[in-house]
Amino acid sequence: MTQISENRTPDAEPVEMLLNMGPQHPSTHGVFRMVLWVDGEKVVDVEPHIGYLHRGSEKLCEGEQYHQVITLFDRLDYLANFNNEQVYCRAVEKLMGLEVSERSEYIRVILCELNRIASHMLFLATMGLDAGAMTPSMICFRGRERIQALFESVSGARMMHNYFRIGGLKEDVPDDFVPQVRDLLKLIKEDTDESDRLLSFNEIFLARLKNIAAISAEDAIDFGLTGPCLRASGVDYDVRKAAPYSVYDRFDFDIPVGLDGDCWDRYYLRVQEIYQSVRIVEQALDQLPDGEVASSLGRRLIRPPAGEVYVRAENPRGEIGVYLISDGSDRPYRIKVRPPSFCNLSALKLMMKDCWIADAVVILGALDIVLGEVDR
Amino acid sequence: MFNCLKGMLVTLVSTMHGLRQPVTRQYPDSGNLLGHHPEPTPVKDRFMGFPALTWDEDVQEPFCTSCMVCIRQCPTQCMSSVMKDNPLHEEGKSSRRKIVDSFEINLNRCILCGICVEVCNFDAIVMTHEHEMSDFSRNAIRVDLPILLENGLKFQKETGWIPPTQRAKVQKGGDAAAETTAAGTET
């Protein structure tokens, strides 16, 4: 007691304080820890600590057979399971030179885009919550639940589907799939409209997000940002357009691009992406061909030839890359995943420079990281 | 000021929307405050719950011959089984020479991926609609053969389960089968 009073002098310099945010903090959307150096309310520096959700997925992949690895990829970005399954299956297919039937490709695209919508809806919900808006989270969670109910009727599971197979699909979609998706798309549009109307141009929401953590296109490229975080800075780059994979070159859709690269742009871009994904799904439903979906491999053991392959795809969070090395056996020799969330997180230090503590929450929220993918 | 009023109006409209029928369903007790949705959300037909073993009603024995395919293919190694000679085969009642003696699934480890069902050659394992098996002790949901067969039989009765290989045969020879039945009724 005496010591403190002795040290207190009238002209004391303001001292930087260390503030721990997380790993158990609702705004970190998982187990993520940030150490903030704060000067009053101002964030001077930030150090992210990752690894709380590390499960060694990449190492586990080396011990599993090729078809078992799909279950592990489900658990990387657990909000976009179909997208992860697709990129892994494409990697093995490319290595083996496998042809995938038209119908499988279309169903994959439909499910992946629906999963993108589900993921973005969860983003809208949590972004609203981070900024203090409650109602959009209710609307978006309801919408996401409908999409997941559809996934359950298709694959049997709401989240960890294990539905895509190397060279095809597990089984064909149910008979009423197409009308079901069409009904769902209408509801998705309504939900997004309502949430958009409530949140996007709300005065308080704009004040919380506009001109926060703006980064330039050059910086965004330098830090290796991909996905909505990069496009918000005005860079027109989307793997679906830049290097079309699957059947994406057959659809007419736009790539929304932001202006300022601030948090609001990152938010609003995802709202726009939902509408674009709806457009893609509508076209895919119109073009959906008949045919087989089962893999041409049947139930044979998958043994790709020795070699290596790199495949990339556009996930809801950005560009995911899978680097796969095969030694010709029935298990992969090595799998390296380039997770979009992890790479986007590298810009955190730049974004949080000299922001307020309250803004730290929305900055992290607008990055939209999934810790399952960051830590792997 | 104008923006503020406009915002309030938008919120008011949304609030009025919010007064429609609630989508929340109570669980595990049915019914909610307004009495809508008396049942908890039913699972879909393809829902993958905990795996269980099926029961062959014709011969009164399990389908499983304990061939270990599912056990080898399981990504989490959550199963184990022991094989024995089938007494019914010696009596000439069953075509199965070997049969399952004991089977254990550690449902704590099971990730409900459905790979075991896919690789099974004998239609012996199914993903049931069972999903409410939580318990307080760690070993309580290590399930053995009697429970697996009980769950499987329950699933078979609930869904009118037909062995997938039999179903495929029916579909393939659908026309031929229809002809024979027609012929049968004539004679």
Side-chain angles (χ1 to χ4, degrees), chain A residues 2 9 15-16 29 43 54 62 76 88 100 115 139 177 192 203 207-208 233 239 241 262 279 301 305 317 355 360 375:
Chain A
T2 46
T9 48
V15 197
E16 279 176 17
H29 303 186
V43 176
H54 177 68
E62 292 166 22
L76 285 180
Y88 169 72
V100 184
N115 213 332
I139 295 166
F177 178 71
T192 317
E203 290 272 308
R208 285 296 305 276
S233 295
V239 184
K241 283 272 190 200
D262 56 9
R279 266 177 77 188
L301 195 61
R317 270 155 207 85
C355 74
D375 297 340

Side-chain angles (χ1 to χ4, degrees), chain A residues 189-208:
Chain A
K189 274 192 219 164
E190 279 173 24
D191 283 346
T192 317
D193 282 341
E194 193 176 351
S195 166
D196 183 28
R197 211 166 44 231
L198 272 170
L199 194 58
S200 298
F201 294 94
N202 183 305
E203 290 272 308
I204 303 163
F205 192 67
L206 278 171
R208 285 296 305 276

Side-chain angles (χ1 to χ4, degrees), chain A residues 67-68 154 156 165 172 299, chain B residues 46 48 73 75 118-119 121:
Chain A
H67 67 280
Q68 295 171 336
V154 171
R165 290 288 178 275
D172 206 345
R299 284 161 60 179
Chain B
R46 287 186 184 180
M48 294 196 290
Q73 297 285 325
E118 212 170 323
V119 295
N121 294 311

Side-chain angles (χ1 to χ4, degrees), chain A residues 70-357:
Chain A
I70 300 170
T71 61
L72 287 164
F73 266 74
D74 268 333
R75 287 158 174 79
L76 285 180
D77 180 352
Y78 44 74
L79 298 177
N81 318 82
F82 277 130
N83 300 62
N84 286 327
E85 286 180 24
Q86 193 209 27
V87 67
Y88 169 72
C89 289
R90 272 181 54 232
V92 184
E93 282 153 13
K94 192 175 168 191
L95 198 58
M96 300 178 79
L98 259 183
E99 282 289 314
V100 184
S101 74
E102 287 269 292
R103 189 176 169 82
S104 310
E105 289 281 20
Y106 272 92
I107 292 170
R108 279 184 188 186
V109 165
I110 292 170
L111 292 173
C112 283
E113 289 305 316
L114 284 174
N115 213 332
R116 189 185 309 276
I117 295 169
S119 170
H120 281 347
M121 276 198 159
L122 192 79
F123 167 78
L124 301 194
T126 51
M127 194 70 234
L129 278 180
D130 285 344
M134 197 75 198
T135 321
S137 83
M138 300 290 167
I139 295 166
C140 291
F141 261 100
R142 187 184 63 198
R144 177 168 175 267
E145 191 54 49
R146 286 180 184 136
I147 301 176
Q148 285 186 318
L150 178 90
F151 289 166
E152 189 189 321
S153 73
V154 171
S155 69
R158 285 169 77 254
M159 280 175 84
M160 308 303 165
H161 312 291
N162 192 20
Y163 181 65
F164 293 175
R165 290 288 178 275
I166 293 151
L169 301 174
K170 180 183 169 191
E171 54 188 330
D172 206 345
V173 288
D175 295 334
D176 59 345
F177 178 71
V178 176
Q180 244 185 319
V181 178
R182 282 193 202 282
D183 292 343
L184 185 65
L185 288 180
K186 264 182 234 145
L187 292 169
I188 287 169
K189 274 192 219 164
E190 279 173 24
D191 283 346
T192 317
D193 282 341
E194 193 176 351
S195 166
D196 183 28
R197 211 166 44 231
L198 272 170
L199 194 58
S200 298
F201 294 94
N202 183 305
E203 290 272 308
I204 303 163
F205 192 67
L206 278 171
R208 285 296 305 276
L209 265 69
K210 204 71 192 149
N211 296 325
I212 302 293
I215 57 171
S216 64
E218 290 78 32
D219 279 341
I221 292 170
D222 284 352
F223 275 97
L225 298 192
T226 45
C229 294
L230 173 69
R231 293 194 283 275
S233 295
V235 185
D236 183 11
Y237 174 77
D238 187 315
V239 184
R240 289 174 293 173
K241 283 272 190 200
Y245 54 92
S246 193
V247 287
Y248 275 110
D249 49 348
R250 300 183 199 176
F251 307 123
D252 173 32
F253 64 101
D254 301 323
I255 304 297
V257 173
L259 285 173
D260 311 325
D262 56 9
C263 282
W264 190 82
D265 275 8
R266 271 170 233 142
Y267 156 82
Y268 199 60
L269 201 115
R270 288 181 168 104
V271 180
Q272 297 297 321
E273 276 196 1
I274 291 181
Y275 292 115
Q276 295 305 324
S277 290
V278 169
R279 266 177 77 188
I280 296 175
V281 177
E282 275 169 352
Q283 292 170 48
L285 285 177
D286 290 337
Q287 299 174 18
L288 184 66
D290 290 332
E292 277 292 310
V293 295
S295 167
S296 55
L297 291 170
R299 284 161 60 179
R300 258 173 296 161
L301 195 61
I302 297 161
R303 280 178 195 274
E308 51 188 72
V309 70
Y310 182 79
V311 165
R312 57 198 183 132
E314 187 72 20
N315 254 27
R317 270 155 207 85
E319 180 185 324
I320 187 172
V322 173
Y323 182 56
L324 172 69
I325 305 179
S326 159
D327 57 356
S329 70
D330 60 343
R331 285 150 214 265
Y333 179 74
R334 174 83 168 97
I335 287 184
K336 167 82 180 82
V337 183
R338 180 218 184 268
S341 304
F342 177 71
C343 297
N344 289 352
L345 201 57
S346 65
L348 193 72
K349 225 167 190 167
L350 179 76
M351 286 176 177
M352 285 203 183
K353 195 105 187 84
D354 294 330
C355 74
W356 301 105
I357 293 179

